[in-house]
Structure formats: structure tokens, C-alpha cells
């Protein structure tokens, strides 16, 4: 059983997932009943630096999954700061969390997670922090789509597109430390399976590591390389994407941005955190 299924089964009956109709609805689609704790996205940086991506993801979550408002709170700046967003919420039920806060990062980010958890702990209502979005198979799907959008991979069969050319090898570049790279390697393995091509993982700011990965891919016969940024575009490190591609002498895809797969993962992290809080 997957972690998401375990999370769903652990919830009280009134919170069990209800599959939605339509042939594009997967196991990750569900509705939350009225009165469920508010889902709040915790965003590294400020409103100005985010460029509207968190609000678009919140809209996707509302439309596709929870059926209730999803709020956005920023870790920096005075505009829509996470602390102010939580302070404005009402505790709907005294015996349950009033909000679940999902960090909008793809992997371990000690600075962002630490800041988020402190704000959650200091909030006047009972709020629960969730885990980062990755690793998760849906992030591999999003990376695949961004590579296809850039003409660097064949699109999946669902999208019914065919690329004449595609990169023969991919380097997934990750912000953060060695732990972030190790966790992202799970996603890289899943991406390699989707592409049927070799995929390496490296820190986004490690030029020597990226060059070494590129050399190994070329030594194995890969002629065209692609760099896939394992970033939403909000995290520190996103500014290194072009330099990472230059180090590999490769083309690169865009950041994940407001990809629908990330909205699904955020909703799943909400369910996991809420399940743990209600069963604890």
C-alpha cells in the first residue's frame, strides 16, 4: 500500500476520499468535506519574488482536489506573510487542526522548513506542518512534461504528442545539500524509467559534479544532453539553472512552475499530515 493510501485509510470516515468522475481522474483526486482544515501553501521568499506561481497552484488545488479555498502564505516580506495568514483563520473545531501548512519546496530545505515550523508553532490556532512535496512519482511526471515542452524528450502517451528528436541523457539538478540530492535520485530513477534514457542527479550549484555527470553520459554514447531543474522556481538556487546547463554543455527545460502534478502532490501531503495529526 502506498503512503498516500495509508494516509487516506487513517482518516476518520467523514474524510475518506471520494473518487471523482471522468476518465482523467486518478487516485490522487478527491474532495474534502466542508469544514476540513484550511490548506495553506508556505512559500519561500516574498510575493514579489514568487511571480504568481503559488496562487496558480492554489487555484489548481481548489479546482481539482479539495473543493475548498487554498491559501498562500509567504515566509518573507510583510505582504501575505504566513504568520498573518494563519492569524486570520478561525479554529473551526476545537479538537482538530485549523490549518495544514504545506511547504512549497520539492525537497529538503532546512531554512524554509525551519522558518515555516516556527511560524506554525507560534500561530494562535492549531496548525499542522506537512512534509515537502518530493520525492514523489508525480514530480517525475512534471519533469518529463517540462522536458517535452522544451523539445528535449518525447511526451507521454496521454498527451498524444511525438517529438522527432529528444535528448539521449538527462541531468536532474537539485537545490540544497547532499540529502536533497539523494532524495531527488528517487525521482531521477522514475524519470529514467519514463524516458527509457539514463538520468543522473547533481546539485544545481555544483559545476564540477554536473560536468562529471555530463562526461559519463557522453562516454556512454549520449550525444545530446538535457538539464532538468528539480525546482518550482521559487526556491533559492533557481538562478543557477543556466549555469548548470552551461557546465554540462546541454540544453535545459524550464522550472516546474505551476504544474498540475505539483498541485496533486500538495493535496496528498495535506492528507498525510492531517491523517497523522488526527491519529496522534
Amino acid at each position: 500500500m502506498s503512503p498516500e493510501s495509508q494516509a487516506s485509510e487513517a482518516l476518520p470516515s467523514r474524510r475518506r476520499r471520494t473518487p471523482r468522475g471522468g476518465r482523467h481522474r486518478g487516485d490522487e483526486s478527491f474532495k474534502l468535506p466542508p469544514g476540513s482544515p484550511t490548506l495553506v501553501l508556505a512559500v519561500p521568499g516574498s510575493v514579489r519574488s514568487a511571480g504568481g506561481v503559488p496562487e496558480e497552484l492554489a487555484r489548481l488545488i481548489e479546482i481539482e482536489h479539495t473543493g475548498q479555498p487554498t491559501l498562500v502564505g509567504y515566509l518573507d516580506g510583510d505582504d501575505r506573510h504566513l504568520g498573518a495568514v494563519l492569524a486570520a483563520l478561525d479554529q473551526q473545531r476545537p479538537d482538530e487542526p485549523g490549518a495544514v501548512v504545506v511547504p512549497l519546496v520539492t525537497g529538503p530545505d532546512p531554512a524554509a522548513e525551519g522558518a515555516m515550523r516556527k511560524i506554525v508553532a507560534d500561530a494562535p490556532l492549531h496548525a499542522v506542518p506537512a512534509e515537502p512535496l518530493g520525492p514523489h512519482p508525480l514530480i517525475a511526471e512534471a519533469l518529463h512534461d517540462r522536458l517535452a515542452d522544451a523539445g528535449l524528450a518525447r511526451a507521454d502517451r496521454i498527451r498524444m504528442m511525438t517529438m522527432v528528436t529528444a535528448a539521449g541523457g538527462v541531468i536532474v539538478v537539485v537545490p540544497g545539500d547532499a540529502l536533497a540530492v539523494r532524495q531527488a535520485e528517487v525521482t531521477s530513477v522514475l524519470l529514467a524509467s519514463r524516458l527509457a534514457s539514463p538520468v543522473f542527479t547533481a546539485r544545481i550549484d555544483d559545476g564540477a559534479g554536473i560536468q562529471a555527470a555530463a562526461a559519463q553520459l557522453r562516454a556512454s554514447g549520449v550525444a545530446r544532453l538535457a538539464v532538468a531543474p528539480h525546482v518550482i522556481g521559487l526556491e533559492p538556487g533557481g538562478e543557477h539553472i543556466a549555469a548548470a546547463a552551461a557546465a554540462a554543455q546541454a540544453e535545459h527545460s524550464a522550472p516546474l512552475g505551476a504544474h498540475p502534478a505539483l498541485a496533486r502532490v500538495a493535496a496528498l501531503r495535506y492528507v498525510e499530515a492531517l491523517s497523522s495529526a488526527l491519529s496522534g
Side-chain angles (χ1 to χ4, degrees):
M1 183 180 290
S2 69
E4 290 77 26
S5 298
Q6 291 174 337
S8 178
E9 291 301 320
L11 294 175
S13 59
R14 73 181 188 85
R15 297 190 189 281
R16 290 186 186 276
R17 297 181 195 174
T18 301
R20 299 174 67 186
R23 64 188 179 93
H24 297 299
R25 302 300 181 190
D27 292 338
E28 299 83 11
S29 295
F30 54 86
K31 278 278 194 179
L32 295 177
S36 296
T38 302
L39 193 164
V40 182
L41 298 175
V43 183
S46 65
V47 174
R48 178 176 296 182
S49 64
V53 170
E55 285 74 19
E56 178 62 17
L57 282 169
R59 187 186 70 84
L60 290 173
I61 293 170
E62 290 177 2
I63 292 172
E64 298 292 338
H65 304 290
T66 66
Q68 66 175 19
T70 297
L71 304 181
V72 177
Y74 292 84
L75 298 179
D76 296 332
D78 295 328
D79 189 5
R80 285 179 275 170
H81 188 267
L82 177 60
V85 171
L86 294 177
L89 295 175
D90 294 325
Q91 187 83 38
Q92 296 293 322
R93 294 182 174 88
D95 58 336
E96 296 182 5
V100 177
V101 183
V102 180
L104 208 51
V105 292
T106 54
D109 185 331
E113 290 181 70
M116 176 198 73
R117 289 179 183 275
K118 184 179 187 308
I119 294 169
V120 167
D122 293 341
L125 86 166
H126 179 200
V128 175
E131 295 297 317
L133 303 186
H136 194 278
L138 286 168
I139 295 182
E141 175 186 320
L143 288 169
H144 185 172
D145 283 350
R146 292 298 181 238
L147 285 165
D149 291 341
L152 298 170
R154 294 181 184 276
D156 60 42
R157 287 173 293 179
I158 294 175
R159 295 177 69 185
M160 304 300 289
M161 293 170 59
T162 301
M163 304 302 302
V164 177
T165 60
V170 175
I171 304 171
V172 173
V173 291
V174 185
D177 57 14
L179 175 60
V181 173
R182 286 198 300 273
Q183 289 199 7
E185 284 172 349
V186 176
T187 302
S188 293
V189 169
L190 296 169
L191 180 62
S193 177
R194 294 177 66 93
L195 300 176
S197 300
V199 177
F200 282 62
T201 314
R203 276 201 353 254
I204 197 169
D205 58 350
D206 180 9
I210 293 169
Q211 289 174 354
Q216 286 184 264
L217 286 167
R218 289 196 170 93
S220 69
V222 173
R224 187 184 185 195
L225 299 183
V227 165
H230 193 277
V231 298
I232 299 171
L234 313 169
E235 313 90 326
E239 69 275 12
H240 297 297
I241 294 172
Q249 297 180 28
E251 300 165 83
H252 68 84
S253 55
L256 299 174
H259 193 286
L262 297 186
R264 299 202 294 273
V265 180
L268 292 172
R269 295 298 182 234
Y270 169 99
V271 170
E272 292 170 348
L274 182 57
S275 171
S276 178
L278 294 178
S279 62

